[in-house]
Amino acid sequence: MKAETENLVAEIEKSLDLLRQRLNWDTAEHRLEEMNARAEDPELWNDPANAQKVMRERQKLADGVDGYKVLAQGLADNVELIEMGEAEDDADIVAEAEQGLADIKEEAAAKEIEALLSGEMDGNDAFLEVHSGAGGTESCDWASMLSRMYLRWAEARGFKVELQSETPGEEAGIKSVTYQIKGDSAFGWLKTESGVHRLVRISPFDSQARRHTSFSSVWVYPVIDDTIEIDIPPNELRIDTYRSSGAGGQHVNTTDSAVRITHIPTGIVVTSSEKSQHQNRDIAMKALRARLYDIEMKKKTQAIQDAHDAKSDIGWGHQIRNYVLQPYQQVKDLRTKLETSDTQGVLDGKIDAFMAEALAQDVTGKSRGEAEEDDD
């Protein structure tokens, strides 16, 4: 087998390995059997909301398992064809199988990205903040350069960018800026960029042309969808009626028109005491949905706030990536060890490789480079 073909096979195997880990392959088929059994249980549909959730999870797992099997079988079949073609000295069979491997590599790469971007809020739009660190004009200029890098990246992907706020630097650059970036899986991609970014260069603001180190921080968080539907199963409610009291009149306390609704799982109690019991029920249910919605939003915003509170200081020892422009050209990610000498390309927004490497590390616990070393 040619070296080029062997490399192609190795690339496919790495993608398949990531998919196996994302699916927890050792238990995936067993979990699918269990979910199939649950889906066939007629009592599942006594709770429609839960049933729909189970069916969605089942379909997602089934698609993942089936997709992996198709790719793995395609890899094995084409490798076998190449070996057979080489044994029979049939160049046409070899060429056809090599093209098959190339097609599988594209499919595997697409599946790999799907696996990497399958977090709860990865599909959401994103807010992106850039803040300059200590260092005055130098850091403000660096924050401006980082901001431009992300705008170029978003532009290349066809994403829409809206400026939310901006604080300019006193002499140059920006102290801080916030953008809303709208596009497919914007948060899923950009979340890997949160952290401190360090720049080393000959300062354009230093008359003696000395080398300076500057820091800026980037923070990314998801745009939360405010169209969440709150479904409340009837068996979670206790509805009581009672006589309403008022300022007087011939109809006061003559009917049990007021409504009290208790949400049993949370203990939330809402009431309404207008004249119509039907109206009171509607008002109380709206109030309950609003309360439950507020709880869900607080859960999500608290998770975001926790991440915000955990942000490191903008300075030495906390950076995730170094951008060195002098005395040599290098951008190096300190988490994944990925590096490149194309510093201008990176500053022009070519950062997909860094993002993909960090996403892979989140899934597997290893960067692709580390996985390659293990394979060797």
Side-chain angles (χ1 to χ4, degrees):
M1 191 180 295
K2 294 185 294 186
E4 182 180 349
T5 304
E6 290 179 347
N7 291 336
L8 192 58
V9 170
E11 286 291 324
I12 296 171
E13 288 176 340
K14 281 187 287 183
S15 293
L16 291 177
D17 182 59
L18 185 143
L19 291 175
R20 284 175 63 91
Q21 294 186 59
R22 192 63 173 177
L23 287 166
N24 293 318
W25 186 255
D26 292 340
T27 62
E29 292 187 297
H30 177 66
R31 285 184 286 118
L32 183 56
E33 289 177 2
E34 290 181 339
M35 297 188 81
N36 285 337
R38 290 182 65 188
E40 294 170 2
D41 183 357
E43 294 186 4
L44 174 68
W45 292 96
N46 292 340
D47 184 349
N50 182 59
Q52 291 177 5
K53 179 182 178 181
V54 169
M55 296 303 288
R56 285 195 298 269
E57 291 177 356
R58 171 189 169 277
Q59 191 60 52
K60 182 178 180 180
L61 181 57
D63 289 344
V65 169
D66 291 344
Y68 173 83
K69 287 182 175 179
V70 168
L71 291 171
Q73 188 60 54
L75 172 62
D77 290 346
N78 281 286
V79 168
E80 185 178 347
L81 278 174
I82 289 174
E83 292 173 348
M84 183 180 70
E86 289 176 342
E88 297 178 0
D89 199 23
D90 191 327
D92 289 340
I93 289 179
V94 172
E96 182 180 345
E98 288 175 342
Q99 182 57 52
L101 287 176
D103 293 340
I104 291 170
K105 180 180 180 298
E106 289 187 11
E107 293 177 29
K111 291 288 185 184
E112 182 178 348
I113 294 300
E114 288 178 16
L116 293 175
L117 297 173
S118 59
E120 180 184 359
M121 288 186 278
D122 282 354
N124 291 28
D125 296 334
F127 289 111
L128 180 140
E129 295 181 4
V130 180
H131 299 271
S132 63
T137 301
E138 283 291 335
S139 291
C140 288
D141 188 54
W142 173 222
S144 180
M145 293 168 65
L146 274 178
S147 173
R148 175 184 176 276
M149 181 181 80
Y150 291 116
L151 292 180
R152 289 291 184 92
W153 174 83
E155 178 185 314
R157 284 186 165 270
F159 287 177
K160 182 178 179 181
V161 179
E162 295 179 358
L163 177 65
Q164 302 291 302
S165 64
E166 182 176 22
T167 303
E170 293 179 3
E171 297 181 23
I174 55 175
K175 289 184 178 179
S176 65
V177 65
T178 302
Y179 298 104
Q180 182 173 350
I181 300 180
K182 300 180 178 180
D184 185 29
S185 297
F187 173 69
W189 283 108
L190 285 166
K191 69 181 182 182
T192 63
E193 294 299 292
S194 288
V196 176
H197 298 244
R198 171 177 172 253
L199 172 70
V200 179
R201 64 170 175 172
I202 299 297
S203 171
F205 305 101
D206 188 330
S207 59
Q208 298 182 43
R210 290 173 296 188
R211 191 171 59 173
H212 284 249
T213 297
S214 306
F215 298 93
S216 288
S217 70
V218 175
W219 185 45
V220 180
Y221 54 101
V223 176
I224 295 176
D225 185 2
D226 60 3
T227 62
I228 294 174
E229 295 182 4
I230 302 296
D231 181 64
I232 310 172
N235 62 359
E236 293 186 355
L237 301 177
R238 185 174 68 246
I239 302 175
D240 302 307
T241 58
Y242 59 97
R243 291 190 176 185
S244 59
S245 59
Q250 62 177 337
H251 297 296
V252 172
N253 291 338
T254 59
T255 60
D256 293 337
S257 61
V259 172
R260 178 191 300 111
I261 299 178
T262 303
H263 185 242
I264 298 170
T266 61
I268 292 173
V269 178
V270 292
T271 62
S272 180
S273 54
E274 298 295 327
K275 290 183 179 180
S276 163
Q277 187 178 120
H278 179 74
Q279 182 183 16
N280 285 333
R281 187 183 291 261
D282 287 345
I283 292 171
M285 284 301 296
K286 286 179 181 178
L288 177 59
R289 285 193 174 91
R291 292 279 299 276
L292 293 176
Y293 174 80
D294 184 57
I295 288 174
E296 289 303 309
M297 287 298 96
K298 284 179 178 177
K299 286 180 182 177
K300 293 192 175 185
T301 54
Q302 184 60 48
I304 294 169
Q305 188 61 46
D306 290 344
H308 181 271
D309 293 343
K311 286 191 296 181
S312 300
D313 294 334
I314 307 175
W316 286 100
H318 303 293
Q319 66 266 24
I320 63 168
R321 191 175 300 146
N322 289 334
Y323 304 71
V324 181
L325 306 186
Q326 289 289 341
Y328 51 87
Q329 302 279 312
Q330 183 193 67
V331 177
K332 182 174 182 177
D333 195 289
L334 304 182
R335 301 162 299 176
T336 65
K337 311 307 179 186
L338 181 67
E339 60 184 71
T340 178
S341 59
D342 183 17
T343 55
Q344 190 57 52
V346 169
L347 293 174
D348 283 338
K350 296 179 181 179
I351 54 177
D352 281 3
F354 289 104
M355 292 175 165
E357 197 79 1
L359 284 168
Q361 188 174 67
D362 287 344
V363 173
T364 66
K366 296 180 180 180
S367 68
R368 293 177 180 178
E370 290 172 324
E372 287 178 9
E373 289 175 6
D374 289 348
D375 290 342
D376 294 340

